[in-house]
């Protein structure tokens, strides 16, 4: 890593030092080195790009970059002119625009700097080629190489641009918000927000008493529940799926295809439809409750003390504890068919010889399952199990759609705009969408990101750096 | 021998019970969509009075809260364009990552993986501000950009598939003078039909399923600007659910039919895709 960085700069150094007049002039006008050596179109294009960059930076983004350190100082003031009755607004600062355009401006500068350095080196290389009398590519040949060895540039250009606009800029932006006081009291354009350092992180880890609004208590409760949820929902649907796949694919089971299709139907209905529907079914006055009452289950639960005497219904989705168990169970309904499908594929791929020889050696069905099938399944599905765990950490749909009617009775949670059933991700959504508390939401987002990315890197390092990806290309 | 045949019966009965649990909510969705009563039926599973009116209302009588034809048109537009753009993006990135070798490829892959782990919900509000800067909020174009622009990150399964295509096929095409563009379009894509179908269907379905992003981006109060998911979600909110629940069910059935068909088509590829990618772990 450091070697590479060193090369990067020594190369730059020699390029500038040993370059001739034209190469050095390229430090100023980037395209000139190409033009004098015959690559006229390329030279003009690069110079145009340079001009474009400078007009963008000094005509637009510099204005915002300079204000980044304070995020603006002039608050918006409306002035009503009593004579003409027209409103005039002063030349105010918009912290949001300053931050966003500042980030875009800085990214542009960084990208330009990199291109600038690469450009100098290239110009120097062309100078060397010219001196040694080697061939210099024409514009047509350059274009041709873009479809050949350099085709990846063409392929990756547009998708990368999309990712930068939709993923990278928003992520940097939100990461910055975590260090500001951007909330409902500091909303642009009317008000300014500014940098506050680590204050938001501190308020997430400090446990105050119940009179002050601290997010610490709720944060820890929700963090624990999020991890528990991800663990149990992943494990239950994983084993549920394998169990179901074994059951259906057993040679004693008839009509295999029909069974499989029946379960798959359940996942073909969009989740927002089924989840909202099931949420209504298990509501306090929903159909499941009427059914439980008519068969006397509600009374029975009151009698054995599971419910208190005054309750008239089973609070499936309206009391903590119940709601936690119910969302895991309902997630089983969503998750098992998926797992069943992928487990079916894997079970069919188990090497037949191993199973046969185990049978000949007199192993029982159970022994074969635990000693051969399961280890194979775990080996094959290990990475996808972690992916599923991460997906469940961020399982927005199930929690949000099922618990949207639930109102918490716990003041601590209510003060923090959360409920017991929230995951970090749904809490974050409520904070931003309903309460405009962007600063705390960003801090939560950063925590989720750290948890997820550590898990991902551990899992996939092997896959990418293990060098096994070409095994199957032979 | 007797215990064994008992076992067989038990096994099928058990499967039957499980299947019933999985199908009950869907059956309820179907029968409620055929109910003459508009609210939630809490007392009995089947409606007291049957009627086909919900479906008629859905298509023929759009009102101030439920404008299904407009929702369907919007979702269809978004789905189609998203599908074209994201399929192209995914295939392009997968080809670059799988079949070409260049500096920084592995670090780019790690980077994209980490990026993909960032909770989308978090950056959502920032995406909203970026879109606002470009003047694309409240529009279908904006939603298409949001659903498709980042799709290049989802190339992994597709790359896994490309990895299994023998490199010798590319080599021989290269010797015959084909450039990478030709190899990509004439050699790799035709060999990857399953994964192309999988990508196309997935890309088409994503906007139909999502309602959070749509809700955030489209702030318009006019139902004719909404997508199917947004509109249906709105119908079961507290103040509307009493009058529109069976209509919600009918809408749910209507969207589910094309999605189910696509899904059944995709099922084979789904299994292939997952296992194809997983075996390499």
């Amino acid at each position: 890593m450091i070697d590479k960085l060193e090369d990067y700069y020594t190369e730059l150094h020699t390029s500038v030092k040993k370059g001739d007049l034209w190469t050095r002039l390229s430090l100023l006008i980037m395209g000139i080195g190409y033009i004098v050596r015959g690559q006229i179109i390329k030279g003009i294009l690069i110079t145009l790009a340079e001009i474009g960059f400078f007009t963008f930076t000094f005509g637009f983004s510099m204005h915002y970059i300079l204000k980044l350190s304070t995020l603006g100082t002039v608050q918006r003031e409306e002035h009503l002119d009593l004579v003409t009755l027209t409103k005039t607004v002063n030349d105010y600062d918009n912290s949001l625009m300053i931050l966003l355009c500042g980030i875009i401006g800085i990214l542009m500068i960084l990208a330009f700097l990199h291109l600038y350095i690469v450009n100098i080196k290239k110009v120097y290389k062309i100078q060397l080629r010219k001196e040694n009398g080697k061939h210099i590519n024409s514009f047509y040949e350059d274009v041709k190489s873009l479809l050949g060895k350099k085709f990846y540039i063409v392929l990756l250009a547009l998708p990368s641009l999309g990712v930068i606009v939709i993923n990278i800029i928003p992520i940097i932006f939100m990461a910055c918000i975590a260090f500001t006081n951007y909330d409902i009291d500091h909303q642009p354009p009317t008000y300014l927000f500014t940098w506050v350092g680590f204050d938001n992180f501190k308020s997430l880890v400090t446990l105050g008493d119940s009179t002050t609004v601290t997010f610490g208590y709720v944060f820890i409760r929700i963090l624990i529940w999020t991890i528990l949820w991800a663990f149990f929902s992943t494990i239950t649907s994983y084993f549920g799926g394998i169990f179901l796949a074994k059951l259906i694919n057993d040679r004693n089971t008839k009509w295999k295809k029909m069974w499989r299709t029946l379960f798959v139907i359940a996942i073909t209905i969009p989740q927002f439809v089924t989840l909202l529907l099931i949420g209504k079914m298990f509501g306090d006055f929903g159909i499941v409750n009427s059914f439980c009452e008519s068969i006397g289950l509600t009374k029975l639960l009151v009698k054995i003390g599971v419910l208190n005497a005054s309750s008239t219904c089973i609070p499936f989705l309206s009391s903590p504890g119940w709601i936690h168990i119910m969302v895991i169970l309902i997630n089983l309904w969503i998750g098992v068919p998926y797992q069943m499908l992928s487990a079916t594929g894997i079970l069919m791929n188990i090497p037949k010889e191993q199973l046969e020889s185990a049978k000949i050696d007199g192993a029982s069905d159970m022994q074969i399952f635990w000693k051969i099938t399961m280890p194979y399944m775990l080996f094959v599905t290990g990475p996808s199990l972690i992916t599923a765990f991460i997906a469940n950490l961020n399982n927005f749909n199930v929690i949000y759609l099922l618990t949207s009617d639930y109102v918490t009775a716990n003041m601590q949670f209510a003060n923090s705009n959360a409920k017991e059933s929230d995951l970090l991700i749904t809490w974050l959504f409520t904070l931003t969408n309903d309460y405009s508390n962007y600063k705390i939401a960003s801090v939560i987002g950063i925590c989720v990101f750290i948890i997820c990315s550590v898990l991902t890197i551990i899992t996939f390092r092997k896959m990418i750096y293990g060098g096994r990806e070409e095994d199957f290309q032979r | 021998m007797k215990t064994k045949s008992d076992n067989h019966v038990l096994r099928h009965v058990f499967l039957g019970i499980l299947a019933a649990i999985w199908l009950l909510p869907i059956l309820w969705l179907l029968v409620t969509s055929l109910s003459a009563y508009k609210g939630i039926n809490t007392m009995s599973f089947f409606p007291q009075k049957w009627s086909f009116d919900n479906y008629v209302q859905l298509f023929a009588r759009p009102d101030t809260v439920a404008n299904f034809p407009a929702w369907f048109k919007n979702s269809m537009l978004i789905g189609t364009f998203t599908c074209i753009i994201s399929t192209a993006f995914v295939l392009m990135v997968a080809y670059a990552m799988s079949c070409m070798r260049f500096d920084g490829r592995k670090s780019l892959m790690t980077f994209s993986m980490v990026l993909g782990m960032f909770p989308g919900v978090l950056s959502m509000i920032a995406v909203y501000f970026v879109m606002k800067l470009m003047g694309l909020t409240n529009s279908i174009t904006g939603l298409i950009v949001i659903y498709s622009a980042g799709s290049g990150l989802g190339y992994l399964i597709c790359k896994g598939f490309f990895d299994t295509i023998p490199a010798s096929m590319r080599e021989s095409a290269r010797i015959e003078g084909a450039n990478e563009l030709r190899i990509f379009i004439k050699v790799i894509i035709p060999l990857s039909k399953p994964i192309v179908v999988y990508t196309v269907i997935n890309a088409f379905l994503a906007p139909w399923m999502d309602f959070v992003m749509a809700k955030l981006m489209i702030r318009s109060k006019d139902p004719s600007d909404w997508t199917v998911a947004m509109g249906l979600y709105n119908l079961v909110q507290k103040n509307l659910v009493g009058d529109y629940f069976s209509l919600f069910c009918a809408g749910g059935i209507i969207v589910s039919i094309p999605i189910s068909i696509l899904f059944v088509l995709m099922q084979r590829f789904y299994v292939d895709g997952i296992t194809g990618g997983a075996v390499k772990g």
Side-chain angles (χ1 to χ4, degrees):
Chain A
M1 191 68 195
I2 292 169
D3 284 359
K4 267 189 188 165
L5 216 63
E6 222 177 282
D7 287 351
Y8 189 82
Y9 286 108
T10 41
E11 223 179 296
L12 174 70
H13 189 74
T14 44
S15 302
V16 177
K17 212 170 172 189
K18 298 198 176 154
D20 62 5
L21 175 69
W22 296 116
T23 307
R24 285 187 196 177
L25 255 185
S26 304
L27 285 169
L28 216 62
I29 303 162
M30 286 167 71
I32 206 143
Y34 300 106
I35 293 174
V36 293
R37 282 165 191 119
Q39 297 186 315
I40 295 168
I41 301 178
K42 195 175 176 187
I44 291 173
L45 286 179
I46 285 176
T47 314
L48 280 180
E50 189 189 2
I51 294 170
F53 166 76
F54 280 111
T55 13
F56 171 81
T57 305
F58 291 104
F60 173 74
S61 66
M62 210 28 125
H63 171 68
Y64 296 103
I65 294 174
L66 290 175
K67 287 183 181 165
L68 264 183
S69 61
T70 58
L71 291 176
T73 46
V74 190
Q75 190 155 323
R76 182 186 157 106
E77 275 163 17
E78 273 182 9
H79 197 76
L80 186 65
D81 193 329
L82 288 172
V83 185
T84 56
L85 283 178
T86 46
K87 269 185 195 168
T88 48
V89 179
N90 63 337
D91 187 18
Y92 64 97
D93 287 334
N94 183 338
S95 307
L96 201 64
M97 285 294 283
I98 294 174
L99 188 56
L100 193 56
C101 297
I103 289 170
I104 295 174
I106 288 179
L107 284 181
M108 287 291 278
I109 292 176
L110 288 179
F112 175 76
L113 274 181
H114 177 70
L115 281 180
Y116 182 76
I117 291 171
V118 170
N119 186 60
I120 292 299
K121 292 178 191 170
K122 279 215 173 130
V123 170
Y124 177 60
K125 265 182 203 149
I126 288 178
Q127 177 198 335
L128 288 183
R129 287 187 90 89
K130 186 93 179 176
E131 281 165 7
N132 298 336
K134 281 186 191 155
H135 173 72
I136 290 176
N137 275 354
S138 69
F139 187 67
Y140 173 73
E141 283 165 326
D142 275 337
V143 173
K144 220 174 133 188
S145 84
L146 273 179
L147 294 180
K149 273 218 157 64
K150 288 186 177 163
F151 189 47
Y152 68 93
I153 297 179
V154 180
L155 288 176
L156 292 178
L158 271 180
S160 307
L161 183 71
V163 169
I164 289 171
V165 172
I166 288 294
N167 297 79
I168 296 184
I169 291 178
I171 287 172
I172 298 176
F173 178 76
M174 281 316 269
C176 290
I177 295 285
F179 300 94
T180 68
N181 59 354
Y182 183 15
D183 56 19
I184 194 145
D185 299 326
H186 301 88
Q187 290 220 67
T190 326
Y191 296 99
L192 301 165
F193 61 82
T194 187
W195 302 107
V196 293
F198 282 91
D199 284 5
N200 302 322
F201 290 85
K202 275 182 208 145
S203 77
L204 256 197
V205 290
T206 41
L207 299 162
D209 51 274
S210 56
T211 50
T212 53
V213 178
T214 59
F215 290 91
Y217 167 77
V218 172
F219 175 69
I220 288 170
R221 284 277 304 267
I222 291 186
L223 181 67
I224 293 172
W225 160 237
T226 306
I227 291 170
L228 280 179
W229 147 265
F231 179 76
F232 282 111
S233 55
T234 311
I235 290 293
T236 49
S237 28
Y238 181 69
F239 285 105
I242 293 179
F243 174 72
L244 191 60
K246 281 291 285 179
L247 204 61
I248 291 178
N249 292 313
D250 194 281
R251 64 194 144 82
N252 294 325
T253 307
K254 280 176 190 157
W255 316 301
K256 290 190 176 69
K257 201 149 191 193
M258 178 201 80
W259 293 118
R260 216 173 289 147
T261 316
L262 284 183
F263 287 99
V264 169
I265 289 175
I267 47 173
T268 58
I269 317 270
Q271 273 188 12
F272 72 91
V273 174
T274 45
L275 286 171
L276 286 170
L277 186 87
I278 294 176
K280 294 289 175 233
M281 286 176 89
F282 283 98
D284 280 356
F285 306 102
I287 188 163
V288 178
N289 253 313
S290 339
F291 178 71
C292 288
E293 192 158 2
S294 68
I295 60 164
L297 188 65
T298 315
K299 288 226 174 72
L300 182 76
L301 288 177
V302 171
K303 206 177 262 172
I304 60 171
V306 177
L307 297 173
N308 40 351
S310 59
S311 41
T312 52
C313 58
I314 304 175
F316 287 113
L317 293 172
S318 57
S319 108
W322 278 95
I323 199 168
H324 293 125
I325 294 170
M326 280 313 292
V327 288
I328 291 180
L329 286 180
I330 294 173
N331 181 66
L332 211 55
W333 190 90
I334 301 268
V336 162
Y338 278 108
Q339 281 296 337
M340 186 266 292
L341 276 184
S342 64
T344 303
I346 297 163
L347 285 174
M348 286 172 176
N349 285 334
I350 293 185
K352 286 268 156 24
E353 313 84 64
Q354 280 195 25
L355 296 180
E356 290 303 323
S357 58
K359 218 166 262 171
I360 290 165
D361 289 345
S364 71
D365 279 357
M366 276 312 252
Q367 275 175 324
I368 291 178
F369 180 74
W370 287 111
K371 294 273 152 78
I372 296 175
T373 314
M374 268 325 278
Y376 181 84
M377 288 289 294
L378 280 175
F379 172 73
V380 174
T381 55
S384 74
L385 208 54
I386 306 269
T387 327
F389 182 80
I390 292 170
N392 275 324
L393 279 179
N394 297 321
N395 199 332
F396 184 85
N397 272 356
V398 171
I399 300 291
Y400 187 77
L401 294 176
L402 282 178
T403 65
S404 56
D405 287 345
Y406 170 58
V407 182
T408 181
N410 182 330
M411 278 316 285
Q412 290 257 24
F413 276 91
N415 281 339
S416 309
N417 312 125
K419 7 186 201 191
E420 288 92 337
S421 57
D422 266 335
L423 302 181
L424 287 174
I425 200 90
T426 53
W427 187 28
L428 185 159
F429 181 74
T430 324
L431 281 177
T432 50
N433 204 38
D434 302 344
Y435 298 96
S436 303
N437 196 343
Y438 302 107
K439 51 176 191 181
I440 295 295
S442 306
V443 179
I444 298 170
I446 290 175
C447 296
V448 176
F449 175 61
I450 291 172
I451 299 173
C452 296
S453 50
V454 167
L455 279 172
T456 322
I457 293 177
I458 292 173
T459 324
F460 288 100
R461 251 193 104 74
K462 244 192 188 158
M463 213 170 108
I464 293 181
Y465 289 101
R468 288 173 60 191
E469 55 180 349
E470 280 162 24
D471 284 3
F472 290 83
Q473 290 189 347
R474 283 191 198 120
Chain B
M1 249 4 242
K2 194 173 173 245
T3 52
K4 201 147 198 186
S5 69
D6 275 358
N7 227 337
H8 284 184
V9 175
L10 263 179
R11 171 191 298 276
H12 288 95
V13 169
F14 184 63
L15 264 175
I17 293 172
L18 282 182
I21 293 175
W22 256 265
L23 290 180
L24 262 182
I26 290 159
L27 186 64
W28 199 54
L29 182 73
L30 186 67
V31 296
T32 312
S33 77
L34 293 169
S35 162
Y37 174 60
K38 297 287 177 194
I40 305 182
N41 186 354
T42 56
M43 295 321 288
S44 66
F45 189 86
F46 291 101
Q48 268 95 10
K49 238 176 104 190
W50 299 81
S51 148
F52 205 68
D53 185 57
N54 292 316
Y55 290 93
V56 179
Q57 185 185 348
L58 210 53
F59 285 103
R61 300 199 306 273
D63 60 21
T64 49
V65 273
N67 190 345
F68 195 77
W71 300 343
F72 201 83
K73 195 191 92 204
N74 290 342
S75 287
M76 200 53 139
L77 267 177
I78 297 173
T80 313
F81 280 100
T82 306
C83 173
I84 296 169
I85 302 173
S86 17
T87 309
F89 277 16
V90 168
L91 292 176
M92 280 154 71
V93 176
Y95 183 82
M97 295 301 188
S98 170
C99 305
M100 303 199 68
R101 292 291 176 266
F102 52 92
D103 280 348
R105 186 181 66 100
K106 286 194 173 175
S107 22
L108 213 58
M109 278 164 67
T110 321
F111 182 65
S112 70
M113 196 103 77
V114 174
L115 209 57
M117 279 306 119
F118 207 80
V121 178
L122 166 69
S123 53
M124 227 159 59
I125 195 83
V127 170
Y128 176 75
F129 292 130
V130 173
M131 287 286 138
K132 210 169 162 188
L133 193 67
M134 299 197 285
L136 288 176
T137 47
N138 251 329
S139 74
I140 287 179
T141 327
L143 275 180
I144 295 173
V145 170
I146 288 173
Y147 291 132
S148 51
S151 59
L153 287 179
Y155 67 91
L156 258 187
I157 289 184
C158 192
K159 174 187 178 288
F161 192 92
F162 285 176
D163 280 347
T164 62
I165 297 174
S168 55
M169 307 201 65
R170 277 182 278 128
E171 283 309 322
S172 54
R174 211 165 282 150
I175 289 166
E176 281 165 31
N179 60 21
E180 293 284 339
L181 178 68
R182 274 189 78 84
I183 299 176
F184 178 41
I185 292 172
K186 300 272 166 166
V187 180
I188 299 293
I189 302 263
L191 283 173
S192 317
K193 268 197 195 115
I195 209 72
V196 173
V197 173
Y198 173 83
T199 316
V200 164
I201 294 179
N202 252 354
F204 181 75
L205 287 186
W208 289 87
M209 313 278 200
D210 168 79
F211 77 100
V212 191
M213 206 71 198
K215 217 175 112 195
L216 194 73
M217 279 310 135
I218 301 206
R219 294 290 174 102
S220 162
K221 293 273 179 272
D222 179 7
S224 63
D225 295 336
W226 296 351
T227 66
V228 168
M230 269 176 86
L232 289 182
Y233 177 78
N234 189 51
L235 288 187
V236 288
Q237 293 313 294
K238 272 199 180 105
N239 48 342
L240 292 178
V241 69
D243 295 322
Y244 285 98
F245 188 69
S246 54
L247 198 70
F248 162 82
C249 293
I253 292 285
I254 294 289
V255 265
S256 302
I257 292 170
I259 294 180
S260 308
I261 294 171
L262 286 179
F263 208 92
V264 171
L265 284 178
M266 188 174 70
Q267 189 184 330
R268 202 181 86 218
F269 306 124
Y270 183 82
V271 175
D272 284 355
I274 297 283
T275 48
V279 168
K280 263 159 245 148

